[in-house]
Amino acid sequence: MKILVLNAGSSSQKSCLYYIPDDARSQHISTELWSASIDWTKQEGMANLKVESNGLVVEETQATNDQLAVMKRCFETLCEGDTAVLETLAEVDFVGHRIVHGGRTYQQPTWITEDVKRTIEQLIPLAPNHNPANLEGIKLMEKLLPETPQVAVFDTAFHSKIPTTSAIYPLPYQWYEQGICRYGFHGISHQYCAEKTAKLLNQDLANLKLVTCHLGNGASLAAIKNGHSIDTTMGFTPLEGLMMGTRCGSIDPGIVIHLLREKDLTLDQVDVMLNKESGLKGLSGISADMRSITTEMENNDRAKLAFETYIHHLCRQIGAMVASLEGLDAIVFTAGVGENSAIVRQETCQRLGYLGVDLDVEKNKNSPKNEDIASNNSQVRVLVIHTDEDSAIAQTVSQIA
Ligand code: ADP
């Protein structure tokens, strides 16, 4: 079957077409036939379209703000010209969407209906930066592929079974009843990495205690036991937990009260400060990008402070996940920083020596991908996994189709 996956953000849309043989649905075998990204951030009123297929990379620019028109052009490249891999769009069997917030309602991938769309809309206050774009993506696909069944795969779903003691905040109980609790995010990636780790270690996921570290611009950890997320660092929103590129992660909520009460800041200003002006960017004053931080930290004290604080928070929270797991078999690094920054992995693992973590320094340096980089003596395995949320969504869709 052919499955088109759409990952729709507010300023970019990524789509991939996968082929999954009918007899390989449960085996995680998929072939990426075509991928495209639309980026609206490069120039006001301009969409940059980049298509990769048949070994080619084709780029073009569309001077319009009309999302439907650009998506239509994007999908024309599926069936026309050198990038074509289909005769007609009708060959797409299913569309899978990454939906960031499924609240308490959606703990499984779900066929999209009017009801499902309404619920995703109702959840917008919980994910104001993501759910509106996700919903818009669904509506665009309904216009472009009206006959094709669509499935929503939720980033919160993998965490939906974390124990109440981890999900609940110690606030007045009625807030919990009103849905103010830990949801957790990056679930598609955490689950994908956990399954891939079990395969690479040739072990049953049900017997493993894992801490998966999804370290991208946004970053979160998951404590995974018996194949389930039992704890995670992100919470009610993606702001909690680790220090990130521009987000502060966990801070004393009293700081927010202080800023609002004493510093005469508006709510929106505090929101921007915590989400966009903090983290690596806020501490270094240089960049939210770990590449710039590690390059600059030789000569710049603030960059060094930002790096060391990032590692401190990461190790502290890994410790918290290990406490929830009551043990540890493997640590998994993934996403932009986790997959590419040897120094982040080295500094982190060095500080986790007390847990029996021992890195093979050479393996760590040699751009590992889907590899165990712990030394032979290490009591805890250390893996670098290339996360592939889109193929995970395609696989999930194929399993319910
Ligand atoms: P997102 O969280 O937006 O999906 P990614 O997972 O791709 O993004 O992570 C992007 C981040 O990964 C960049 O901002 C940068 O900090 C980091 N990154 C990417 N490549 C490297 C690298 N070679 N070394 C260190 N950090 C890197």
Side-chain angles (χ1 to χ4, degrees):
M1 67 177 72
K2 295 194 178 89
I3 299 171
L4 187 63
V5 173
L6 183 68
N7 193 338
S10 53
S11 54
S12 66
Q13 285 96 23
K14 213 180 139 219
S15 34
C16 295
L17 182 72
Y18 291 92
Y19 170 68
I20 299 182
D22 279 348
D23 54 359
R25 288 187 202 185
S26 56
Q27 296 168 37
H28 293 253
I29 296 170
S30 61
T31 308
E32 184 181 306
L33 301 176
W34 169 99
S35 73
S37 59
I38 302 170
D39 184 351
W40 303 84
T41 60
K42 293 198 171 151
Q43 210 181 326
E44 176 64 31
M46 301 285 251
N48 268 73
L49 172 63
K50 183 175 172 188
V51 179
E52 296 186 55
S53 81
N54 299 329
L56 298 170
V57 181
V58 178
E59 291 194 60
E60 61 184 57
T61 309
Q62 303 273 318
T64 174
N65 276 319
D66 183 342
Q67 285 204 8
L68 182 62
V70 180
M71 286 284 258
K72 197 163 172 221
R73 169 65 199 131
C74 176
F75 292 148
E76 274 170 12
T77 70
L78 268 170
C79 312
E80 294 172 12
D82 295 339
T83 56
V85 289
L86 301 176
E87 293 281 316
T88 74
L89 284 181
E91 288 171 49
V92 176
D93 296 297
F94 302 99
V95 177
H97 292 267
R98 176 185 179 206
I99 308 293
V100 166
H101 215 308
R104 284 180 178 166
T105 316
Y106 298 115
Q107 308 193 349
Q108 298 292 337
T110 304
W111 295 103
I112 293 173
T113 61
E114 288 305 312
D115 258 2
V116 173
K117 282 191 286 178
R118 238 186 323 272
T119 310
I120 294 171
E121 189 166 15
Q122 283 161 2
L123 288 166
I124 285 176
L126 299 190
N129 298 327
H130 296 99
N131 272 30
N134 300 161
L135 189 59
E136 195 52 40
I138 293 174
K139 291 177 181 169
L140 288 172
M141 295 309 292
E142 283 176 339
K143 287 186 184 135
L144 294 167
L145 290 166
E147 305 298 328
T148 312
Q150 302 196 51
V151 178
V153 182
F154 297 93
D155 233 356
T156 44
F158 184 54
H159 304 296
S160 63
K161 292 189 180 66
I162 59 177
T164 310
T165 45
S166 168
I168 200 165
Y169 290 104
L171 296 164
Y173 185 75
Q174 63 269 26
W175 290 19
Y176 177 61
E177 292 175 310
Q178 289 165 25
I180 296 184
C181 61
R182 179 181 311 286
Y183 290 101
F185 300 88
H186 294 139
I188 298 165
S189 173
H190 286 299
Q191 183 170 14
Y192 174 86
C193 289
E195 287 169 2
K196 190 96 182 169
T197 295
K199 241 188 224 163
L200 286 168
L201 295 179
N202 206 12
Q203 292 200 35
D204 189 346
L205 184 54
N207 298 328
L208 289 173
K209 291 178 178 175
L210 306 174
V211 174
T212 46
C213 310
H214 179 108
L215 309 176
N217 281 317
S220 71
L221 308 179
I224 300 172
K225 195 176 184 175
N226 301 330
H228 299 292
S229 168
I230 60 152
D231 208 349
T232 187
T233 54
M234 280 183 171
F236 177 64
T237 73
L239 189 54
E240 194 184 345
L242 299 173
M243 170 177 161
M244 310 179 209
T246 62
R247 286 176 231 158
C248 57
S250 293
I251 58 164
D252 177 354
I255 295 171
V256 177
I257 299 169
H258 174 78
L259 291 174
L260 291 172
R261 190 183 280 153
E262 305 292 338
K263 297 287 176 191
D264 218 18
L265 292 175
T266 66
L267 231 157
D268 285 345
Q269 283 171 323
V270 175
D271 184 351
V272 169
M273 275 173 55
L274 302 179
N275 276 294
K276 303 221 156 73
E277 302 295 337
S278 297
L280 288 174
K281 185 180 173 195
L283 282 191
S284 71
I286 295 174
S287 171
D289 193 315
M290 186 56 88
R291 285 166 287 202
S292 311
I293 300 296
T294 47
T295 308
E296 293 292 322
M297 69 183 180
E298 298 291 313
N299 307 311
N300 183 305
D301 288 346
R302 292 258 305 272
K304 194 162 173 51
L305 175 68
F307 179 79
E308 287 180 350
T309 310
Y310 183 96
I311 299 294
H312 172 71
H313 281 256
L314 178 55
C315 292
R316 186 158 80 166
Q317 304 254 6
I318 290 174
M321 294 298 109
V322 174
S324 290
L325 288 169
E326 299 179 6
L328 181 66
D329 295 307
I331 299 180
V332 184
F333 289 95
T334 192
V337 176
E339 291 174 35
N340 297 300
S341 180
I343 188 164
V344 165
R345 292 190 300 262
Q346 186 178 318
E347 292 287 319
T348 308
C349 290
Q350 201 168 333
R351 286 175 207 209
L352 298 176
Y354 72 95
L355 289 170
V357 177
D358 186 35
L359 202 60
D360 182 320
V361 177
E362 284 310 308
K363 280 188 183 165
N364 181 48
K365 279 189 197 150
N366 287 335
S367 307
K369 184 176 171 186
N370 299 335
E371 198 179 329
D372 181 355
I373 57 167
S375 75
N376 290 340
N377 298 329
S378 186
Q379 291 162 40
V380 174
R381 307 321 302 163
V382 180
L383 288 101
V384 180
I385 304 277
H386 170 60
T387 193
D388 191 346
E389 288 152 304
D390 294 331
S391 86
I393 291 171
Q395 209 69 51
T396 303
V397 173
S398 79
Q399 282 160 13
I400 68 163

